[in-house]
Amino acid sequence: MLKELVRYCRRKEKETAKIFNFTLTTNCLLLSDEVINWIISNNISVILSLDGRKQTNDKNRLLCSGEGTYDLIVPRIKKMITSKPVSYYVRGTFTRENLDFSNDLMHMAELGFESLSLEPAVGPENGFSIKEEDIPRVLEEYERLTDVLFNYYILGKNINFFHYDVD
């Protein structure tokens, strides 16, 4: 379906003199060489899902067998980034269970990922969504995250954190 959609839009570009930009979000489990090559050859930006540290990621990102996905997806994320997509973000979700999410960002940065995003789990009560009583802790953690990012900057390692780069 995606291949057909991109082909269709590329034809429409020629007919309309408009340019279509694509972004693909993936849990990375199906990022084979063939898929990576298709993404690169079609100038598609990617958002690659990783929630951070192994224990953080594997708590919620499970295979049908109940096994965590961290060890499967990290090499695929590295391969995708090495292939030089138009742009990428490694995107994680923080929940009530990892309100120390700056540690997850540091882990992802230490893996060599430079474009990062961490999103709060929101929505109805489900055990994971951030609650109103968590907001002071979340705000403290964003302050810590600012210090972490500034320290990386001082060391010459520029980490693009999506929510701090938005105009």
Side-chain angles (χ1 to χ4, degrees):
M1 189 272 303
L2 289 175
K3 288 180 179 180
E4 183 56 37
L5 175 66
V6 171
R7 275 192 298 271
Y8 172 79
C9 290
R10 295 298 181 227
R11 283 192 311 268
K12 288 296 182 184
E13 285 177 334
K14 293 173 186 164
E15 295 171 15
T16 63
K18 295 187 184 287
I19 302 295
F20 290 91
N21 296 310
F22 296 95
T23 302
L24 175 68
T25 301
T26 176
N27 66 9
C28 308
L29 291 174
L30 299 179
L31 277 182
S32 64
D33 288 345
E34 178 186 347
V35 172
I36 289 171
N37 291 335
W38 180 81
I39 289 168
I40 299 302
S41 67
N42 285 281
N43 297 317
I44 297 173
S45 299
V46 289
I47 299 173
L48 309 157
S49 296
L50 174 69
D51 286 343
R53 299 163 286 179
K54 180 177 172 68
Q55 66 271 22
T56 302
N57 185 84
D58 286 355
K59 186 157 187 105
N60 299 309
R61 307 292 182 166
L62 304 172
L63 299 172
C64 293
S65 66
E67 185 180 354
T69 59
Y70 180 93
D71 292 331
L72 292 172
I73 63 176
V74 168
R76 290 177 174 134
I77 292 172
K78 288 181 177 183
K79 188 169 195 170
M80 180 77 251
I81 293 169
T82 301
S83 299
K84 304 265 188 244
V86 172
S87 70
Y88 81 88
Y89 273 93
V90 177
R91 184 216 181 272
T93 300
F94 67 89
T95 72
R96 300 194 82 223
E97 296 186 358
N98 67 310
L99 291 175
D100 62 342
F101 56 88
S102 65
N103 291 318
D104 293 304
L105 180 129
M106 287 188 294
H107 177 76
M108 292 189 286
E110 296 307 314
L111 288 172
F113 308 147
E114 297 175 342
S115 295
L116 303 172
S117 174
L118 288 169
E119 311 286 336
V122 296
E125 171 53 41
N126 59 15
F128 300 105
S129 296
I130 304 301
K131 294 182 177 182
E132 189 168 343
E133 66 252 28
D134 299 321
I135 291 175
R137 176 68 178 99
V138 169
L139 294 175
E140 287 173 17
E141 193 63 13
Y142 273 117
E143 290 294 327
R144 183 167 184 256
L145 182 64
T146 302
D147 292 338
V148 166
L149 292 169
F150 184 69
N151 287 333
Y152 279 130
Y153 175 79
I154 295 297
L155 295 171
K157 185 173 185 172
N158 189 20
I159 303 297
N160 298 310
F161 183 65
F162 179 77
H163 295 291
Y164 289 3
D165 291 342
V166 176
D167 279 341

